[in-house]
Amino acid sequence: MTDATLGGPSRAPSREEQAAMAEKSEGGVMLAADGTPLKLSLARSLRRKRLRAFLLVLPLLAFVLLTFIAPIADMLFRSVENQIIPDNMPRTVAALEEWDPAESELPPDAAFEALVLDMVEMEAAKSHTRVGSRLNYEQSGMSGLFRKTGRRADRVEGDYRAGLIAIDEEWGERQTWTTLKNFSGAYTLGYFLSAVDMTYGETGEIVAKPELQQIYMFLFERTLWLSLAITGTTLLLGYPIAYLLANLPMRTSNLLLILVLLPFWTSLLVRTSSWIVILQQQGVLNDTLVALGLIDDQNRLSLIFNQTGTIVAMTHILLPFMILPLYSVMKTIPPSYVRAAKSLGATNWTAFWRVYFPQSIPGIGAGAILVFILSIGYYITPELVGGTSGVFISNRIAYHISSSLNWGLAAALAVILLIAVMGLYWLYDRIVGIDNVKLG
Amino acid sequence: MRKTLLAGTALVAAAAAPSFAQNMEGTLTIVSWGGAYSASQQNAYHAPYLEKNPGVTIVNDESSAEAVARLRAMTEAGNVTWDIVDVTGADAIRLCDEGLAMEIDHNEWLAPAPDGTPATEDFGETIHTDCFIPQIVFSTTFGYRTDVEAWEGREPDDLCDVFDLEAFPGTRSLERRPISNLEWALICDGVAIDDVYDVLETNEGQARAFAKLDTIKDSTIWWTAGAETPQRLADGEVVIGSTYNGRLFSLIVEQNQPVKMLWDWQTFDLDGWIIPADVPDEKLPLIKDYIRFATDTQRLADQAKYISYGPARASSAPLVSTHAELGIEMAPHMPTDPNNAGNTFLFNYEWWADNRDDLDAKFQAWLTR
């Protein structure tokens, strides 16, 4: 070993060289034209190739990482981040560390003093309202409490406890202090608890929210169930269309394909609104049914602003995502197979079911996974036609992003949705096999 | 003595202002709601301002609906591209609390009334936070169709007729949020207006409000965009529904639909400007100049020519004249007109700022059940 290092180039032998040397010691070795062992020079050139390929995709990789993965990761990180409290109320956080809500009704005097001092500082930095809004997500009234206390905290002297309670009786309630303590860490589980309809109780234990406020688990369930229903209806409607497209002469099928793509190119909002025109109680469909005497004018059907509306509109909107993969897979199935089956005595049904259908499964897999994943995160169509019984979890995420500004809860809901989708994807891979999915 | 002196100086300042004002230059990005509302601002504020200052360019951005979230994202990214943002009163409180909107000195920024009354007095209660520069008072109120056969000639004239399915059968259209709906439910359940928020703060009070809404839940469609109720009223899809009064005005007066206003217990709400906290310092003089111009007494009164929202300044009210195109008197269509404002209440901003998250979760849970 020492000899090799002395005699050879002055660097430690790489793994390839060691392998080459090991081989040499076993017996003869093939040499390349320049005298290096063939295996070694091959490995080198391969490595160079791989490096070049990596450098070629590097810009794209960096782009995706920077503009896609990083912002999403940053956003999702908010679901546990709670830096604002320890940053703004360091004294209170420290003073509450020792206090156990289960043992005593209220924290020690030191906590009251710390809170007043923190509050005066926050008021000067104008951050007390931000902290108040943050805590208001956990307990109603915190926002007002902080605004009010911030205005008067600098006048509290001597007996801090009495002074604070004089500003607002809320400071004499255990719940207020428990909330402060529960959310004093730099990281919190609170958003995730809210996202599964749980919360911290008066003494810091985890309890279910009152039944009147339980909403998210129910919405997750509904999102899942409606997405499955939409996937099912698009498959049911899309399969025959794709079959027709794949088996007609080129000229006719191209024409029909344009009919499939035309709505695809039309604005989403236009398509959704036209469903409102068609399906509403004074709409085209109901008017026709009344005119035909099939239903009574007083009992018009409610077809929109409920689950039916969501399923109908979304099935229509997502249909191309089912038809196109199905069509491109069916296009590759040689018609001679079905003819062969028939010539061997199969009925039409057997030939389809035993010969044609199994070959179209990769298309079904691709279409189903596309439609399902698109619909589980769908937002605008359910918002417009879903009424109250047809909205998805994404509508609540949007509400928390754009309206309540509770981005932590929105992020927690999004993380759960992401995990659920990945879990389903894994299950799908186990059952169907992702290798079986073909887009064309 | 002190007041007259103050008023006197203000008068002098107001009179002197035009001669001192130098022409401004630069670009202003102004965010508003789009549609008829942005058009009214274009006509009443932007056009005369640009005429006075040919060196200024105004870029209109119509994203007020998601202004709160976008402003927060911009501020966090350290790249605020908006200069002036039009938001509702409730959003202004949120932005102010979050430190995203600039706190301003209203008397320094805003012009006094023509008689010298300082801006804070002229705007009065409409200035509800240090960040908010009010423009208009609008209301959320009801419109109903006048041709419903099942009503046998009756017309609703009382808010509680909305909850009366026997006398006034048909589908309702209400906003998909707790604000206003819960107050209306309690008023019609017999709670005195002064007690509404006290009652609503208790669990029993909330249960009472939801129970009242339960009585019409099956015949209600819930809206999220202000244009939905007018559209549904025009289609005959609903017979009575709440929305912003300006939307109903254009449905009734401009589009001549068989719809009438039910003003009883309309909820007053405010809309106005905020300045993002992180606008660059060199932009401030231009922003200040524009705001001072666009919120003066005449400009606010002019806006009412184009849309039926009441100016936020007391001194603008007497100057409200006729509709710019139709030539009709605008005063009777204002939510603040004495004939319309018999029973009104002002949306309680502070109370809702505290309780909105909680009640919204309860409201959504109630809706899904």
Side-chain angles (χ1 to χ4, degrees):
Chain A
M1 198 68 195
T2 338
D3 287 350
T5 323
L6 282 174
S10 60
R11 59 181 170 82
S14 69
R15 194 177 299 170
E16 288 94 324
E17 283 168 314
Q18 280 174 358
M21 275 186 278
E23 205 162 90
K24 199 180 212 167
S25 63
E26 273 168 28
V29 72
M30 288 180 80
L31 295 180
D34 59 354
T36 49
L38 184 62
K39 229 179 179 176
L40 183 65
S41 95
L42 251 178
R44 267 200 198 135
S45 82
L46 264 181
R47 189 149 40 115
R48 215 171 299 134
K49 241 185 206 161
R50 243 179 281 142
L51 190 70
R52 200 181 310 141
F54 178 73
L55 282 176
L56 276 173
V57 296
L58 189 65
L60 181 67
L61 193 69
F63 179 77
V64 169
L65 213 64
L66 225 75
T67 60
F68 189 68
I69 310 278
I72 289 180
D74 177 64
M75 196 66 209
L76 296 184
F77 179 62
R78 287 165 192 270
S79 58
V80 289
E81 199 259 357
N82 192 43
Q83 206 69 46
I84 180 168
I85 309 289
D87 277 0
N88 285 288
M89 311 178 72
R91 298 187 192 88
T92 315
V93 168
L96 285 177
E97 215 160 282
E98 296 298 310
W99 176 57
D100 182 358
E103 275 170 19
S104 59
E105 180 75 25
L106 283 176
D109 287 330
F112 285 86
E113 183 181 352
L115 187 104
V116 172
L117 296 178
D118 280 337
M119 193 65 88
V120 172
E121 231 165 66
M122 285 194 289
E123 217 280 314
K126 304 251 176 244
S127 62
H128 65 297
T129 49
R130 279 178 57 213
V131 177
S133 322
R134 161 69 190 96
L135 289 170
N136 205 67
Y137 297 137
E138 312 302 337
Q139 188 187 331
S140 269
M142 281 299 218
S143 179
L145 182 65
F146 268 62
R147 225 179 291 134
K148 193 170 166 187
T149 315
R151 266 199 306 265
R152 304 193 204 159
D154 54 346
R155 272 171 269 161
V156 176
E157 274 162 12
D159 188 348
Y160 291 105
R161 182 188 290 259
L164 268 182
I165 295 175
I167 291 175
D168 198 307
E169 283 169 10
E170 289 281 314
W171 291 118
E173 305 274 336
R174 172 154 62 178
Q175 183 68 63
T176 312
W177 290 97
T178 318
T179 305
L180 265 179
K181 185 178 165 68
N182 287 336
F183 293 93
S184 59
Y187 299 97
T188 177
L189 264 184
Y191 293 124
F192 276 101
L193 287 180
S194 296
V196 293
D197 296 326
M198 312 274 251
T199 184
Y200 288 113
E202 203 179 335
T203 51
E205 77 283 7
I206 292 173
V207 293
K209 276 198 178 160
E211 207 182 322
L212 276 177
Q213 289 179 43
Q214 292 185 9
I215 168 170
Y216 297 114
M217 288 317 282
F218 177 79
L219 279 177
F220 274 120
E221 227 170 86
R222 178 201 279 167
T223 306
L224 209 66
W225 144 243
L226 279 182
S227 300
L228 282 174
I230 290 160
T231 313
T233 48
T234 47
L235 178 61
L236 229 57
L237 292 174
Y239 197 91
I241 298 173
Y243 181 83
L244 190 69
L245 284 174
N247 289 290
L248 279 177
M250 200 56 137
R251 184 179 299 207
T252 340
S253 80
N254 274 348
L255 197 72
L256 286 180
L257 199 61
I258 288 178
L259 290 183
V260 171
L261 289 173
L262 205 62
F264 199 42
W265 295 328
T266 317
S267 156
L268 183 71
L269 283 173
V270 172
R271 279 184 288 163
T272 307
S273 312
S274 39
W275 277 112
I276 299 180
V277 174
I278 294 170
L279 293 182
Q280 63 184 357
Q281 291 203 312
Q282 306 292 326
V284 180
L285 189 66
N286 265 311
D287 280 351
T288 316
L289 289 177
V290 170
L292 291 175
L294 290 174
I295 53 168
D296 189 19
D297 197 18
Q298 297 306 310
N299 299 310
R300 287 168 175 255
L301 305 172
S302 310
L303 297 169
I304 204 147
F305 310 125
N306 52 26
Q307 276 182 19
T308 320
T310 302
I311 294 180
V312 171
M314 283 187 52
T315 300
H316 171 234
I317 283 163
L318 295 176
L319 203 51
F321 292 98
M322 181 62 89
I323 294 177
L324 293 177
L326 272 176
Y327 167 71
S328 58
V329 167
M330 286 176 178
K331 220 41 204 161
T332 63
I333 302 175
S336 51
Y337 289 3
V338 174
R339 282 204 294 270
K342 283 185 189 162
S343 74
L344 292 171
T347 59
N348 279 342
W349 170 251
T350 317
F352 167 76
W353 186 245
R354 300 276 300 279
V355 175
Y356 192 87
F357 183 78
Q359 296 185 82
S360 67
I361 283 180
I364 297 179
I369 204 159
L370 259 179
V371 170
F372 180 77
I373 287 182
L374 279 173
S375 65
I376 209 166
Y378 231 66
Y379 154 73
I380 192 70
T381 302
E383 181 75 20
L384 287 173
V385 302
T388 57
S389 62
V391 293
F392 284 10
I393 191 71
S394 45
N395 298 91
R396 283 312 280 171
I397 297 179
Y399 167 79
H400 284 302
I401 289 281
S402 63
S403 199
S404 80
L405 278 194
N406 192 350
W407 287 8
L409 180 53
L413 291 170
V415 168
I416 295 178
L417 191 62
L418 185 65
I419 292 174
V421 170
M422 291 202 305
L424 286 169
Y425 183 79
W426 175 81
L427 203 70
Y428 187 87
D429 186 31
R430 294 298 299 271
I431 298 170
V432 182
I434 213 66
D435 301 339
N436 277 331
V437 168
K438 247 167 66 183
L439 281 166
Chain B
M1 182 60 207
R2 195 164 158 262
K3 201 171 178 185
T4 43
L5 192 73
L6 228 155
T9 13
L11 250 184
V12 173
S19 57
F20 278 116
Q22 52 192 141
N23 279 351
M24 286 287 168
E25 278 184 13
T27 305
L28 274 180
T29 304
I30 299 183
V31 183
S32 189
W33 298 93
Y37 190 66
S38 276
S40 75
Q41 290 176 327
Q42 179 68 38
N43 288 321
Y45 310 159
H46 300 353
Y49 186 77
L50 293 177
E51 201 172 308
K52 237 182 74 181
N53 301 283
V56 175
T57 319
I58 291 182
V59 179
N60 286 302
D61 187 328
E62 300 182 346
S63 16
S64 277
E66 62 266 16
V68 184
R70 294 209 18 209
L71 198 54
R72 187 197 231 185
M74 279 187 195
T75 309
E76 284 188 9
N79 182 24
V80 176
T81 55
W82 291 347
D83 299 317
I84 302 172
V85 188
D86 192 302
V87 294
T88 62
D91 282 344
I93 291 194
R94 244 170 228 275
L95 290 169
C96 208
D97 277 356
E98 292 272 340
L100 299 170
M102 185 183 288
E103 293 191 4
I104 65 160
D105 178 349
H106 287 83
N107 281 333
E108 184 209 323
W109 277 61
L110 307 178
D115 65 358
T117 315
T120 40
E121 261 178 60
D122 200 19
F123 279 102
E125 273 182 23
T126 59
I127 299 180
H128 61 58
T129 50
D130 295 336
C131 306
F132 186 55
I133 306 163
Q135 284 171 61
I136 55 147
V137 178
F138 67 98
S139 81
T140 305
T141 190
F142 286 92
Y144 60 90
R145 280 190 76 91
T146 51
D147 58 354
V148 185
E149 280 170 28
W151 293 359
E152 292 160 357
R154 288 184 298 263
E155 284 192 20
D157 57 356
D158 185 321
L159 166 67
C160 300
D161 292 341
V162 174
F163 294 90
D164 187 349
L165 281 173
E166 266 174 37
F168 300 99
T171 311
R172 276 86 172 121
S173 174
L174 292 173
E175 188 169 6
R176 199 193 294 167
R177 64 171 195 174
I179 295 167
S180 296
N181 292 329
L182 293 182
E183 286 104 319
W184 284 331
L186 282 184
I187 289 172
C188 287
D189 204 36
V191 176
I193 183 68
D194 294 332
D195 301 334
V196 163
Y197 288 104
D198 289 338
V199 173
L200 210 47
E201 200 151 326
T202 63
N203 282 331
E204 301 77 51
Q206 291 165 9
R208 209 172 144 186
F210 284 125
K212 186 71 185 175
L213 284 172
D214 266 331
T215 61
I216 53 167
K217 191 178 179 185
D218 290 339
S219 350
T220 303
I221 301 174
W222 304 88
W223 60 268
T224 46
E228 288 176 55
T229 293
Q231 185 59 51
R232 288 171 192 166
L233 278 170
D235 289 351
E237 188 71 8
V238 302
V239 292
I240 186 164
S242 70
T243 188
Y244 312 127
N245 70 291
R247 302 274 188 175
L248 288 169
F249 170 82
S250 64
L251 183 74
I252 297 168
V253 179
E254 291 165 6
Q255 298 166 31
N256 277 319
Q257 293 290 325
V259 172
K260 273 193 189 169
M261 304 283 296
L262 169 60
W263 290 102
D264 196 33
W265 291 116
Q266 47 168 325
T267 322
F268 280 150
D269 201 341
L270 302 168
D271 195 87
W273 305 114
I274 58 103
I275 316 296
D278 290 352
V279 288
D281 284 341
E282 66 268 17
K283 270 270 174 91
L284 269 182
L286 176 59
I287 293 172
K288 270 186 171 175
D289 190 65
Y290 173 85
I291 288 286
R292 193 177 182 87
F293 176 84
T295 56
D296 71 11
T297 301
Q298 187 59 49
R299 246 45 65 185
L300 289 190
D302 284 349
Q303 194 183 3
K305 282 184 197 169
Y306 305 97
I307 202 152
S308 66
Y309 294 130
R313 276 182 188 261
S315 62
S316 298
L319 303 179
V320 170
S321 58
T322 53
H323 191 280
E325 282 155 31
L326 303 171
I328 53 162
E329 280 296 323
M330 286 303 278
H333 298 284
M334 291 292 168
T336 41
D337 189 77
N339 287 324
N340 303 332
N343 283 328
T344 65
F345 66 97
L346 185 67
F347 175 102
N348 188 333
Y349 290 101
E350 283 215 5
W351 192 87
W352 276 112
D354 277 357
N355 294 285
R356 179 171 160 172
D357 297 322
D358 202 25
L359 274 179
D360 195 79
K362 285 181 184 163
F363 186 76
Q364 299 299 337
W366 172 79
L367 274 183
T368 51
R369 208 151 285 135

